[in-house]
Amino acid sequence: GESVGLHLPTLSVQEGDNSIINCAYSNSASDYFIWYKQESGKGPQFIIDIRSNMDKRQGQRVTVLLNKTVKHLSLQIAATQPGDSAVYFCAERGHNAGNNRKLIWGLGTSLAVNP
Amino acid sequence: EAGVVQSPRYKIIEKKQPVAFWCNPISGHNTLYWYRQNLGQGPELLIRYENEEAVDDSQLPKDRFSAERLKGVDSTLKIQPAELGDSAVYLCASSLAGTSGHNEQFFGPGTRLTVL
């Protein structure tokens, strides 16, 4: 299953299928991007990040793709499991001097995994 | 290792009443953040501390919101008086300072505030 941008806030997939969550970011000068997962009643949890000098990064069952030309970020989850059900946020870090630069968060996409 | 601790988890108050939230960051994390999150939206930064110093409070509504981080560890966020529009989840996060430019933020469970 695949979501298209931030205009489709809910993605429903079958357990075992691959999921793709998309995000359009705003600032072409942003140099760092993060995906967070937020389960109901919990704070956001870091999943994976990518710097602007890369276009792909893989983690355990997750892959982040970055297309700077069109300012697009995606999160791919392989073999989606019920525990993956959550709201997923992308965040970009502004290109300002200093550490801990402010994160700019996108709207969330709700992922529902059907057993 | 204990994560970021917040209390209370839920708070219901009437408008015009004061309310306070408490956060205990991960031990050793000198950077602390307060965020406000509305349903379905990403967190909005209210204030960021480096040790005791508030280094970014540009988004904090200073007419009614205040925060402090005495001794550079625990922090409190206060709203006085609360308004209906303040209903949201208030998240606290902490991170290590460093020179790498990437400082992963660890979030607490949040306090869900309902203003009636």
Side-chain angles (χ1 to χ4, degrees), chain A:
Chain A
E2 180 173 355
S3 71
V4 179
L6 300 174
H7 302 291
L8 189 67
T10 302
L11 175 64
S12 183
V13 301
Q14 291 297 123
E15 182 179 357
D17 286 353
N18 296 332
S19 302
I20 301 174
I21 300 172
N22 297 300
C23 177
Y25 63 92
S26 58
N27 187 352
S28 57
S30 293
D31 63 353
Y32 179 66
F33 306 87
I34 311 173
W35 279 100
Y36 281 91
K37 171 186 180 183
Q38 187 171 23
E39 297 176 87
S40 180
K42 298 183 179 180
Q45 178 185 12
F46 173 93
I47 303 174
I48 192 168
D49 59 357
I50 189 169
R51 297 189 182 278
S52 59
N53 61 353
M54 304 172 67
D55 53 21
K56 181 180 180 179
R57 190 165 188 226
Q58 288 185 292
Q60 186 177 15
R61 285 201 307 118
V62 295
T63 301
V64 56
L65 298 177
L66 174 63
N67 186 331
K68 295 181 288 293
T69 302
V70 295
K71 293 190 289 186
H72 183 269
L73 194 68
S74 69
L75 177 70
Q76 300 177 3
I77 304 174
T80 312
Q81 302 171 359
D84 296 327
S85 295
V87 177
Y88 289 79
F89 292 97
C90 66
E92 60 182 300
R93 188 175 66 187
H95 188 63
N96 299 310
N99 294 325
N100 288 306
R101 288 170 272 168
K102 185 179 297 185
L103 290 178
I104 303 168
W105 295 70
L107 295 177
T109 296
S110 178
L111 175 65
V113 181
N114 304 312

Side-chain angles (χ1 to χ4, degrees), chain B residues 23-52:
Chain B
C23 173
N24 179 241
I26 292 174
S27 177
H29 284 192
N30 65 329
T31 304
L32 183 145
Y33 313 76
W34 281 105
Y35 289 90
R36 175 171 57 192
Q37 185 178 31
N38 292 304
L39 187 64
Q41 298 182 21
E44 170 196 1
L45 180 68
L46 294 174
I47 189 168
R48 172 168 66 90
Y49 282 94
E50 295 284 350
N51 299 306
E52 303 91 349

Side-chain angles (χ1 to χ4, degrees), chain B residues 63-85:
Chain B
D63 58 334
R64 296 184 300 107
F65 286 65
S66 64
E68 60 181 11
R69 191 184 184 199
L70 301 177
K71 300 181 181 179
V73 182
D74 295 359
S75 177
T76 56
L77 177 69
K78 298 178 181 178
I79 308 174
Q80 183 171 11
E83 297 179 352
L84 295 177

